[in-house]
Each structure stands twice: as C-alpha cells, then as structure tokens.
Amino acid sequence: MKKPGNKILRIRGYALAMIFIGMGTMYLGVFFREYPIVFSIFLLIGMLPIILSFVIYFWVGMISTRAITVQCPNCERHTKILGHVDFCQHCKEPLTIDKELEGEDFSLDYNVDHRREKAIEELNTKKEK
C-alpha cells in the first residue's frame, strides 16, 4: 500500500487538481461557442475552482510559515510537520514531535487532541502493567 505524503504536499496536490478541473471545465465551453450564454456559464463555472485553488495555495503558504521544521532520522533532510504526527516530505517516513508516541504504531488520528490524549493514556497504562 502506498504511504500518504506530507499534509502540506497533499493539500497542494488537491489545489493543483482543482486548477486542472477548472481549466477542463472552461475548455468544455469552447464546444458551445455558438451559444454565448452557455459559453459564459462554462467560463464562470471553470473560474470557481481556479479561484478556490488560489485561496487554498495562499492558506497553505500561511500554514507553512508556522509549521515545525524537523530533521528526518531516515533521510536526514529537513521537513515541515503539521500537527503532532506527519510524514517526511522526501522519504515518507512517519514522524512525531510527541515523545510519548515515539516508537508506537503510526496513526494520523494522533493529530486530534482527544484521540491523542486517549492513546497516550493507553500507552501509559500498558507501561505501568
């Protein structure tokens, strides 16, 4: 099974796909050149995903400035982590910034506060036994 990539790269991938969807929709409008109203509708509908992708790129850029930069122990390159657990941008190695979660099974659920706290409590009870 293919490992998912870093969150920042996945969000950028969705934004890029939206650009292509918008361009494809606008291109479909070319087939309706004889009907200016339909042509305009396709152009306007195609502009919506392109504008939304611009907003997503801007949002990811703002998030990327606040992301924590760590060095991957596997490839020894620097990567940005969003949340408490994420994948390396380069080698897709699972990474965490929580000392309690190091060496445990990787789950993106650890980025949700109540799930992470529950997992840490379960780990602590296992260590005590």
Side-chain angles (χ1 to χ4, degrees), residues 121-129:
E121 287 176 12
E122 289 175 2
L123 292 173
N124 289 336
T125 57
K126 286 180 185 178
K127 288 179 183 178
E128 290 174 3
K129 291 182 182 181

Side-chain angles (χ1 to χ4, degrees), residues 10-55:
R10 280 186 280 162
I11 296 170
R12 286 180 182 160
Y14 290 130
L16 181 63
M18 291 181 72
I19 288 175
F20 285 120
I21 289 169
M23 289 176 66
T25 305
M26 293 170 85
Y27 185 73
L28 287 175
V30 172
F31 295 117
F32 299 100
R33 284 182 291 213
E34 300 84 30
Y35 309 105
I37 300 293
V38 177
F39 179 71
S40 300
I41 290 172
F42 271 98
L43 288 180
L44 290 174
I45 291 173
M47 284 293 292
L48 294 176
I50 292 174
I51 292 170
L52 187 59
S53 70
F54 170 76
V55 171

